[in-house]
Amino acid sequence: MNATPADTGDVSGTLHTLLRLRTIARESSSLALRKAEDERAAQLEKLRGVRSAVESARTETDMNDALDLANYYAFRLRSEMAERREAARLAQKERDVEQKRAIHATHVRDELAMDNVIDLRERQEAREQQRRESREMDEVAGRRHRDAR
């Protein structure tokens, strides 16, 4: 079945609409990826803060003072538990980033594929238009040749 010019225009419009949707999806996934990366970086800073606090407390503790030492070990125990929680949260943030990165990569590929489809379709339409114009020119030349006889 041959497509009419109206049909090809509708298809072209539909393809451009799909491309816009793919672009929006890519932009949205890019924002989600950046947000996940920022959250991961913030979580990493929290974890570093806990580790830094333990190190700072260790250097400030008088190892010869029993009370100071007992306070340090109590703080260290609480900090270890906090460090494990923060490390688990960081691991989750890293999984989130990887998931968002995969989604974003898919959206980028989808957008590029749609762009390639549109480009291919436009080149095909241009070739068809050239063929139509060439046939019309041949018909005009043929009529002139017949009329000249």
Side-chain angles (χ1 to χ4, degrees):
M1 184 176 189
N2 291 336
T4 66
D7 292 338
T8 58
D10 289 345
V11 169
S12 180
T14 301
L15 290 175
H16 282 283
T17 299
L18 287 173
L19 177 60
R20 280 193 303 275
L21 292 173
R22 299 270 200 262
T23 301
I24 291 168
R26 180 199 38 87
E27 290 169 351
S28 175
S29 68
S30 177
L31 291 174
L33 175 58
R34 269 187 254 139
K35 181 181 177 193
E37 288 172 338
D38 290 347
E39 289 174 357
R40 178 188 60 188
Q43 186 61 40
L44 181 59
E45 284 306 309
K46 284 182 184 178
L47 180 59
R48 286 181 179 157
V50 169
R51 289 176 179 164
S52 175
V54 170
E55 181 61 28
S56 180
R58 187 185 65 75
T59 59
E60 295 172 7
T61 300
D62 180 4
M63 297 299 174
N64 296 323
D65 182 356
L67 182 59
D68 211 17
L69 200 54
N71 285 334
Y72 165 71
Y73 281 114
F75 173 75
R76 184 173 170 176
L77 180 61
R78 287 189 310 274
S79 295
E80 265 186 46
M81 294 170 66
E83 182 179 353
R84 287 181 188 157
R85 275 192 312 272
E86 298 304 327
R89 289 178 184 147
L90 178 61
Q92 180 59 48
K93 298 290 183 189
E94 287 174 347
R95 286 189 298 273
D96 291 347
V97 166
E98 290 309 311
Q99 179 187 25
K100 301 276 194 265
R101 184 172 284 130
I103 290 168
H104 180 62
T106 299
H107 286 151
V108 167
R109 281 191 302 271
D110 289 349
E111 181 185 22
L112 289 173
M114 185 55 62
D115 195 38
N116 288 336
V117 167
I118 289 171
D119 186 49
L120 178 63
R121 177 128 179 115
E122 287 173 351
R123 282 188 272 143
Q124 288 173 338
E125 287 175 0
R127 281 195 300 270
E128 284 298 316
Q129 183 63 29
Q130 273 185 323
R131 287 184 192 127
R132 282 192 295 275
E133 289 172 1
S134 179
R135 280 194 299 267
E136 288 174 10
M137 296 298 282
D138 289 347
E139 288 175 13
V140 168
R143 273 188 261 144
R144 282 189 182 163
H145 181 69
R146 281 188 303 243
D147 290 347
R149 286 192 213 167

